[in-house]
């Protein structure tokens, strides 16, 4: 690969990182709570859940640390700790920084027994609140799996199986969360209902393309306009063999019953795209624009990325927040949807175009990376049959490792869905800045 394309790929990765830094969860929560100063005189409790939960909780503690009486932080267990039973597994310095909040970790994307323990702990915090209290709910992507409270008649194994089937069938996240909201004792506003008569303020880092507050973490503290019939229709479409669970579905909290509740979205996929586009313009001199968020089948998205790549002018870039769906077989290799799309598009890119596909949480499936940043020249290092076989086996991670195209950020403390950047280099690879 040419030095110019290497530089362009590096610029895309740097802009991706810069955009995430601009939307620091702690800083966003701290600013949001500035507007609440003096608005509440009673006790304050915090329940934070999701991949951004530690950062969001730190922001609340910075702003209102002297007023927060207690609460809970639930975030994702590190892979090395996935088989352990402990719920308090953050490093000691981080746990100390989050006191007086209790720290718990659970599994993602399939809930485990720790997810049930965390949900029960959250419900217990809510149930102890009184009419003068305030519950600050800090929710981000991943909260659906981290707080699992199956309704009567549904076992944890049932919940795990239905969620796994929905995800592997390629169901859109809105449909997955639609089913989750109506098959739960905590989602769909039920945590807020447990907190009555306390006031509930929900601050959200949204990971759902075009999503509303009830889509984020399956909406445990916000009203939900959807109905059981809609959830059952989604179940019938994506996981029909679980029709036996239909009697356990129940209605969620409706807007008419939500007078004590307020919700604000602090960041979403569109805001991330705007920040990354600004970083590309500032740091690389590219004429970068943020496109509307999109979702859909990964194969169709590959074709859209290639069509866009062919239309770009020199020095132009487009940033697209994206929630692809990809139906997966039972037996597959190591990879993720971002890396798979990058590999599928690799050979069709124009020679002076680079493509970044990355998960904003830094975890692209089972790949061990955030995604990949590719250019067509990278394909010269590997024969077509090897690439085709990796795509067929959903084993893109090994190819990106061999080609040196992996984007490795480690867990970012975010979850604002995937981000794609398509950029055409300047003539001759000349950098403007």
């Amino acid at each position: 690969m040419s030095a110019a394309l290497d530089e362009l790929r590096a610029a895309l990765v740097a802009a991706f990182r810069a955009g995430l830094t601009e939307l620091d969860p702690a800083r966003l929560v701290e600013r949001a709570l500035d507007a609440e100063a003096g608005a509440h005189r009673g006790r304050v409790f915090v329940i934070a859940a999701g991949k951004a939960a530690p950062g969001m909780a730190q922001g609340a503690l910075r702003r209102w640390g002297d007023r927060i009486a207690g609460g809970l932080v639930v975030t994702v267990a590190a892979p090395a700790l996935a088989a352990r039973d402990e719920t308090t597994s953050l490093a000691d310095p981080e746990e100390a920084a989050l006191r007086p909040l209790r720290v718990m970790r659970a599994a993602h994307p399939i809930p485990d027994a720790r997810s049930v323990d965390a949900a029960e702990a959250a419900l217990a915090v809510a149930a102890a609140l009184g009419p003068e209290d305030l519950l600050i709910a800090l929710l981000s992507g991943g909260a659906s799996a981290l707080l699992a409270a199956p309704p009567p008649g549904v076992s944890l194994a049932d919940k795990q199986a239905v969620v796994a089937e929905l995800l592997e069938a390629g169901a859109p996240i809105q449909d997955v969360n639609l089913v989750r909201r109506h098959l739960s004792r905590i989602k769909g506003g039920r945590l807020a209902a447990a907190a009555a008569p306390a006031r509930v303020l929900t601050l959200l880092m949204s990971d759902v393309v075009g999503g509303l507050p009830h889509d984020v973490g399956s909406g445990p503290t916000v009203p939900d306009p959807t109905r059981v019939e809609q959830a059952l229709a989604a179940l019938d479409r994506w996981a029909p063999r679980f029709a036996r669970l239909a009697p356990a579905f129940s209605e969620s909290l409706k807007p008419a019953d939500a007078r004590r509740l307020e919700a604000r979205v602090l960041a979403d996929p569109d805001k991330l795209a705007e920040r990354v586009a600004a970083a590309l313009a500032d740091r690389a001199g590219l004429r970068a624009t943020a496109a509307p968020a999109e979702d859909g089948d990964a194969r169709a998205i590959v074709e859209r990325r290639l069509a866009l790549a062919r239309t770009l002018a020199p020095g132009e870039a487009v940033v697209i927040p994206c929630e692809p769906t990809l139906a997966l077989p039972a037996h597959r290799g190591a990879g993720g949807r971002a890396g798979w799309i990058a590999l599928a598009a690799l050979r069709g890119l124009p020679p002076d175009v680079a493509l970044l596909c990355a998960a904003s949480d830094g975890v692209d499936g089972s790949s061990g990376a955030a995604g990949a940043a590719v250019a067509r020249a990278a394909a010269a290092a590997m024969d077509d049959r090897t690439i085709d076989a990796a795509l067929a086996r959903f084993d893109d991670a090994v190819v990106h490792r061999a080609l040196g195209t992996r984007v490795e950020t480690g867990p970012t403390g975010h979850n604002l869905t995937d981000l794609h950047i398509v950029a055409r280099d300047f003539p001759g690879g000349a950098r403007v800045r």
Side-chain angles (χ1 to χ4, degrees), residues 115-141:
S115 308
V116 176
D117 291 342
E120 298 295 352
L123 288 166
V125 170
L129 302 181
E132 303 303 319
D133 295 333
L134 170 65
L135 174 62
I136 300 176
L138 306 173
L139 300 176
S140 56

Side-chain angles (χ1 to χ4, degrees), residues 5 46 110 129 134 161 223 236 318 321 385 404 420 429:
L5 278 174
V46 170
I110 306 300
L129 302 181
L134 170 65
D236 182 63
V318 179
R385 288 176 299 177
H420 296 178

Side-chain angles (χ1 to χ4, degrees), residues 154 182-183 228 232 235 242-250:
V154 177
H182 292 277
L183 193 64
V228 165
L232 291 175
L235 184 73
F242 290 96
R244 62 183 174 80
L245 300 180
F249 279 61
S250 64

Side-chain angles (χ1 to χ4, degrees), residues 23-50:
L23 295 177
D24 175 62
R27 189 164 62 244
L28 292 177
V29 169
E30 197 170 0
R31 289 174 183 167
L33 291 180
D34 281 341
E36 289 288 316
H40 182 80
R41 299 297 181 187
R43 296 187 305 167
V44 178
F45 290 80
V46 170
I47 296 176

